[in-house]
Amino acid sequence: MQQQPQHQQQQQQQQQQHLGNLAGYNNKMNVLPNYTLSGMSSFDAESLPDYSEFDSESVTLDYYKESVLRPPAEKMAPTTTIETITITRPLKVIAFICGVIVVVLMIMALASTDWLMAADWRQGLFVHCIGDDSVTPLPFNIQDPPGCYWTRDIGYIKATAALCIITLVTDLIATVLTGLGLKTQNHNLKYKFYRIAVLVMLVSLLAVLSALIVYPVCFAGELTMANRRVWEFGWAYGVGWGAAIFLFGAVVLLLCDKESEEIYYKERKIVHENQMRA
């Protein structure tokens, strides 16, 4: 009888121990999910951001609503756009070309000895030439043999040469300024170049006109010593007048071509058909 209670006590102890093991295993299983959730909280459903906007169905629905509400292209009101167009006027280009021509003509006139011509005699601004077998007495009582020599030390010849050099230099400056005005895109700087070019060309025009008037008038006072009956002005003198004509044309073109005519304001209507999709 005493052995039976001991056997029962052993069975109860074994059952209690078995229950204790089960309880410990359950506690471990309970701790593992808690540990996992606490250690990796980023997988919590409540903490995840809302990505519903990337739902393909919602995007398609929004685009369908937008396309239904958007008016057709032909019913959209046109918008008027004003754009500025800068156009280089051809008159200023022609004025620039005239300036280049004047430079060439003045170089030819300065280098030539055919300003004043008579039998066996050619006179330029820097050199005069005596022909072979010339008849004496020579013009202006020159005693030199045939050949070319530095021109006579006469005031009006030097003045004419100086005026022609001034014409060449000033016209070259005015031509360069006109070219810079054509090239630059800055409107204020462009107009400044044009204004200065016109003034410099006016100086050049006055200089060449003065030279072309002084030369024949002063020569007329020397006819008593000319020793020739027939005198004529050579092609170089005519080239000087050609340069004066081109200069006058360039000045007129730059003055008549108003500054505002280079800028055009053009209006055009633009209908926005398809806007960018969301």
Side-chain angles (χ1 to χ4, degrees), residues 74-125:
E74 60 272 8
K75 293 184 179 180
M76 294 183 67
T79 59
T80 302
T81 303
I82 300 177
E83 58 181 2
T84 304
I85 302 176
T86 303
I87 299 177
T88 301
R89 301 287 294 172
L91 296 182
K92 287 187 170 60
V93 178
I94 297 174
F96 174 77
I97 296 174
C98 289
V100 174
I101 294 174
V102 170
V103 171
V104 176
L105 294 178
M106 292 309 301
I107 292 175
M108 293 171 60
L110 287 168
S112 176
T113 58
D114 292 339
W115 276 71
L116 193 62
M117 303 177 66
D120 301 323
W121 178 267
R122 291 181 294 117
Q123 177 177 297
L125 298 179

Side-chain angles (χ1 to χ4, degrees), residues 75-220:
K75 293 184 179 180
M76 294 183 67
T79 59
T80 302
T81 303
I82 300 177
E83 58 181 2
T84 304
I85 302 176
T86 303
I87 299 177
T88 301
R89 301 287 294 172
L91 296 182
K92 287 187 170 60
V93 178
I94 297 174
F96 174 77
I97 296 174
C98 289
V100 174
I101 294 174
V102 170
V103 171
V104 176
L105 294 178
M106 292 309 301
I107 292 175
M108 293 171 60
L110 287 168
S112 176
T113 58
D114 292 339
W115 276 71
L116 193 62
M117 303 177 66
D120 301 323
W121 178 267
R122 291 181 294 117
Q123 177 177 297
L125 298 179
F126 300 99
V127 176
H128 68 262
C129 296
I130 302 172
D132 297 334
D133 302 327
S134 58
V135 179
T136 57
L138 294 175
F140 314 107
N141 298 320
I142 299 295
Q143 302 298 325
D144 296 327
C148 293
Y149 307 91
W150 288 107
T151 190
R152 298 174 297 134
D153 190 9
I154 303 298
Y156 77 91
I157 298 177
K158 292 183 177 179
T160 302
L163 289 171
C164 288
I165 293 174
I166 293 173
T167 300
L168 175 61
V169 173
T170 53
D171 175 72
L172 182 60
I173 295 173
T175 303
V176 172
L177 290 173
T178 305
L180 292 175
L182 292 172
K183 184 179 180 180
T184 184
Q185 299 298 323
N186 189 334
H187 298 296
N188 295 328
L189 193 60
K190 181 189 293 287
Y191 300 149
K192 184 180 295 185
F193 282 142
Y194 289 153
R195 286 194 294 268
I196 299 174
V198 169
L199 296 177
V200 177
M201 276 193 177
L202 282 174
V203 174
S204 181
L205 178 59
L206 294 176
V208 71
L209 289 176
S210 301
L212 295 172
I213 294 172
V214 167
Y215 192 81
V217 170
C218 293
F219 167 71

Side-chain angles (χ1 to χ4, degrees), residues 31-96:
V31 169
L32 182 61
N34 292 334
Y35 172 77
T36 303
L37 290 176
S38 62
M40 303 182 68
S41 60
S42 60
F43 290 96
D44 190 358
E46 295 181 355
S47 63
L48 291 175
D50 186 10
Y51 293 100
S52 61
E53 59 176 331
F54 296 101
D55 187 6
S56 60
E57 294 182 0
S58 62
V59 171
T60 305
L61 182 59
D62 292 340
Y63 177 73
Y64 174 75
K65 292 179 181 180
E66 181 182 355
S67 62
V68 171
L69 296 176
R70 185 190 302 121
E74 60 272 8
K75 293 184 179 180
M76 294 183 67
T79 59
T80 302
T81 303
I82 300 177
E83 58 181 2
T84 304
I85 302 176
T86 303
I87 299 177
T88 301
R89 301 287 294 172
L91 296 182
K92 287 187 170 60
V93 178
I94 297 174
F96 174 77

